Amino acid sequence: MTLQEKIGQLNQYSVGQEMTGPNQDNEYAKKRYQQLINGDVGSVLNLLGAENTRLLQEQVINNTRLKIPLIFAYDVIHGYKTIFPIPLGESCSWDLDIMEQTAKVAAKEASASGIQWTFAPMVDISRDARWGRVMEGSGEDPFLGSLIAKARIKGFQGNDLSLNNTIAATAKHFAAYGFSESGRDYNTVDISRNTLHNIVLPPFKTAVDAGVRSFMNGFNELDGIPVTASTYLQRDILKGEWGFDGFVISDWGSIREMIPHGYALDGSHAAELSVKAGSDMDMESHLYVNKIKELVESKKIDLKLID
């Protein structure tokens, strides 16, 4: 693979139905379509329907040198066509079998629509009802949260991800997003190591043990460092101590958002920080595809990290 082809596999874009043909009606869509057929995109999210995903997949396969298939992703949170109670509501049942079955049904329906990967389950432990995303998690308790994480991952992924009715799951948000100060989204997190290791991290460790295929980092900072750039979380704990062999995707634009948060100087610096920290795929920041090549060529990033 060329360096640019490798970088393309680290890039995820959000696309819509306008991407499934060459007759886009605006310059933005035309640019994205060109990047898709150039092999500069490894995964897309938000394109729905078997007809649409099949058509775009064929166009990518027919036009790219290496013919690497796209991975189609979507937020399948509490059902796809059949809608189930929100995860917080389900957690109140304490019925792990039901939670596994609802995830299984969601996987069957989503996979039939061309989806292969969901950004669920959210396993953040949260104890502040002001945080708007409490509905997407399993509540306050790390023990129950761990059991629910395992059940939902089993439901989504089954025992064999090569089967056409299963989808890859994502444990998110790594880590401590649910402890944002004052319940304000994207905010600072300031907690003790005891809280981190005994309250926040157990559901994520269970997710690794359950075979989850991907992790998502978050928008929050921890100990003054945005988790998207946290080597401690992503390399030392997740990929080191826990031996996680899947991959980590950024949250939507979280790499670029380190600039206005005052941690990264510019887009190039943000990409450098994220790659070194262990964030493997860039969701909607457009920085990996635009900045990594020059970072490798200038020796700021080791090519081994891209490999």
Side-chain angles (χ1 to χ4, degrees), residues 250-288:
S250 77
D251 208 337
W252 183 292
S254 67
I255 298 175
R256 180 176 294 278
E257 289 191 3
M258 290 195 293
I259 305 169
H261 286 182
Y263 193 77
L265 297 172
D266 52 29
S268 182
H269 188 213
E272 178 185 354
L273 290 169
S274 300
V275 170
K276 288 180 176 178
S279 185
D280 302 309
M281 183 173 278
D282 177 0
M283 181 199 290
E284 274 294 319
S285 281
H286 315 167
L287 292 178
Y288 279 12

Side-chain angles (χ1 to χ4, degrees), residues 135-150:
M135 52 74 63
E136 200 179 340
S138 300
E140 302 177 352
D141 184 72
F143 180 68
L144 177 61
S146 296
L147 294 177
I148 292 173
K150 181 178 179 180

